[in-house]
Amino acid sequence: MFAIVRTGGKQYRVAAGDKIAVEKLAGEAGDVIALSDVLLAGDGGESKDLAGVVVSAEIIAQAKADKVVIFKKKRRHNYRRKLGHRQQHTILRILGVGEAVKAAPKKAAAKPEADSSADNA
């Protein structure tokens, strides 16, 4: 099953197992997010009803794109400007198309047991 989702002003065709780089989204690596702005969903050549269709994705990493160099120059005027820009983006792994996939439970930190002999003193 595939879906076309919109995020960051762009549209992406995704299916389960795909990896995509999108505009920066809030979250840490390992978090599971839901992309709810689904424009089209289908299976094979047939399109499906969009009611309740959600694309679940896991954040793999928060990264930056390659540097883009902006260079301005005017001949014979001693005018040169050099700027650079690195766009931030989020790398996602698509977990499933359809109902929302719940995140795996995180391991809870074990609380140390209080020593009962310390309470008797």
Side-chain angles (χ1 to χ4, degrees), residues 13-20 92-95:
R13 183 188 190 279
V14 297
D18 289 351
K19 291 182 184 176
I20 59 172
L92 299 176
R93 177 184 297 122
I94 305 301
L95 298 177

Side-chain angles (χ1 to χ4, degrees), residues 9-10 12 18 28 31 62-63 69 71-73 92 103 109 113:
K10 298 179 181 78
Y12 301 92
D18 289 351
E28 298 292 324
D31 290 350
Q62 302 283 6
V69 177
F71 186 73
K72 300 177 182 180
K73 180 180 177 178
L92 299 176
E113 295 292 324

